Amino acid sequence: MAARSVRKIRTGDLASVYSLGKGMLFSSGEGVPWSPESIADILCSDPGLSFVCLDRKRITGFLIACDCRDREQGARIQWLWAERDSWEIKDNLLLAFYDEAVLRDISPVTASVWSDEPRFAEYLKGRGFREGCSRTVTRLVLTDIPRGPGTGEKP
């Protein structure tokens, strides 16, 4: 199997990312619709917190997040997707995101999960997120961001 790599998302990735998520993702818990315009708005405001996972040159996963420190909310993961729902790909994307959040001194991190996605909620809880509220959407919060290889510290 070819080695996977993770890098920050680029403007040229927009069409591929949108196509991959189309039909799988509808909107984030914050009501952001899954559309090229919404993705572009987030990436234009701060592309540095969003990442893609590549297998050779093909995108196999993405994490799109935004910096919400202006609202004293840390960062918010808008979308996290991996082909075949691969937890390995999601883990790689989360580690890259954590590294960037630590370098920027961003905390906490929130992620919203629809109530019909219990596996995803359990996945995030297994990675240190805790439940912030529960209704149709569960907001999960991570306050102690793990330090990964990009920060020069052991996780």
Side-chain angles (χ1 to χ4, degrees), residues 66-127:
C66 56
D67 186 338
C68 302
R69 287 182 291 180
D70 60 332
R71 294 179 293 221
E72 298 180 11
Q73 296 178 358
R76 182 174 50 240
I77 297 173
Q78 293 290 144
W79 296 286
L80 176 58
W81 180 89
E83 92 182 349
R84 294 183 306 279
D85 203 26
S86 167
W87 288 5
E88 178 186 356
I89 291 172
K90 289 178 182 177
D91 284 347
N92 290 336
L93 290 162
L94 279 172
L95 287 173
F97 172 77
Y98 294 160
D99 285 350
E100 187 66 21
V102 167
L103 290 171
R104 292 183 185 206
D105 197 28
I106 298 174
S107 183
V109 173
T110 60
S112 298
V113 180
W114 292 101
S115 60
D116 63 352
E117 297 179 319
R119 281 190 64 216
F120 186 54
E122 289 306 312
Y123 165 81
L124 289 174
K125 288 177 186 176
R127 276 120 190 107

Side-chain angles (χ1 to χ4, degrees), residues 20-31:
L20 289 169
K22 191 176 179 182
M24 301 290 287
L25 301 171
F26 304 101
S27 65
S28 74
E30 302 301 315

